[in-house]
Amino acid sequence: MVRVIRRSFLEEVSERLPVSTTTLVAIVVGAVSLYIFYRRKGPVQRPPGDPRRSLSAPRDGGETCNALARIKQKAFIGKKVCIAWEVLHDGKSWKAQGKALDILRLYAFSSEVYLMCRIQGADDKKRILSLIKAVDGIERHRVLFCTTEKGYEAFTRQIDPSLLVTNDAAQVTFLKRIIETLVLVGGDCVVASNVACVPSVEAISIDLE
């Protein structure tokens, strides 16, 4: 009758691994001790009032950019400003009871103004140049002409102004992720923290004193 000799689990493992039985016992005891320690400690609790905020948590209302407030705080003095001709002139006279001309002069004096003009022909170009001839600060190479709405988008992306003033809602929708601050004059408002919707260009007037 063949006698079967049973060996312990540790003896079996020690023969298969290049470690002694004593070392193996020490490893097992250490692992069990760590397990018991963490079981007693329990899950880590976040202290109440932890200032950390999840990535999906809404930002505080004070962080929201108020585009019109930045204009009133003179944040764009000395910066590049693109203005669409249509917000200033209706083809017959200066808008906002003539105040649009004063606003253009103000920005031309305090900022680097680029005037974007959509025209139908050479006569329109001559008329616009004649109207702005007396505006100090408007440099000829910053008066830009195009024949399509897409031209305004191309000008704006190339210039990369800090402020864009236009009356084209589609343009604002397209550029609001690219341009720092935008003002939409008239039309349907485009909701965004960096967009100010105003009824008239008069709303962006600032006091330089």
Side-chain angles (χ1 to χ4, degrees), residues 26 37-38 47 50 92 138:
F37 172 77
Y38 282 109
D50 192 332
K92 296 180 180 179
I138 294 289

Side-chain angles (χ1 to χ4, degrees), residues 72-87:
K72 296 300 183 181
Q73 292 165 3
K74 308 172 187 176
F76 302 102
I77 290 180
K79 303 289 186 66
K80 292 181 180 180
V81 177
C82 278
I83 304 177
W85 175 251
E86 289 78 12
V87 307

Side-chain angles (χ1 to χ4, degrees), residues 82-85 113-119 125 128-129 132 138-147 151-152 154-156 158-159:
C82 278
I83 304 177
W85 175 251
V113 168
Y114 291 82
L115 194 59
M116 304 184 300
C117 312
R118 189 165 69 247
I119 59 175
K125 182 176 180 179
I128 292 172
L129 290 175
I132 64 173
I138 294 289
E139 299 186 20
R140 175 61 186 87
H141 68 277
R142 294 179 187 161
V143 182
L144 312 173
F145 296 94
C146 63
T147 57
Y152 279 12
F155 288 151
T156 305
Q158 182 178 2
I159 296 166

Side-chain angles (χ1 to χ4, degrees), residues 15 23 34 57 73 75 80 118 124 132 147 164 168-169 192 200 209:
E15 283 189 4
T23 303
L34 285 173
Q73 292 165 3
K80 292 181 180 180
R118 189 165 69 247
D124 289 343
I132 64 173
T147 57
L164 168 65
D168 190 334
S200 167
E209 295 182 0

Side-chain angles (χ1 to χ4, degrees), residues 22-38:
T22 303
T23 303
L24 187 60
V25 170
I27 293 173
V28 172
V29 171
V32 172
S33 299
L34 285 173
Y35 173 76
I36 294 173
F37 172 77
Y38 282 109

Side-chain angles (χ1 to χ4, degrees), residues 18-79:
V19 294
S20 65
T21 302
T22 303
T23 303
L24 187 60
V25 170
I27 293 173
V28 172
V29 171
V32 172
S33 299
L34 285 173
Y35 173 76
I36 294 173
F37 172 77
Y38 282 109
R39 286 279 294 179
R40 288 180 178 177
K41 188 176 181 181
V44 177
Q45 299 292 331
R46 179 173 293 182
D50 192 332
R52 288 179 293 178
R53 181 183 62 195
S54 67
L55 294 177
S56 60
R59 292 187 173 187
D60 184 82
E63 297 179 22
T64 302
C65 171
N66 187 319
L68 198 56
R70 295 195 66 209
I71 292 173
K72 296 300 183 181
Q73 292 165 3
K74 308 172 187 176
F76 302 102
I77 290 180
K79 303 289 186 66

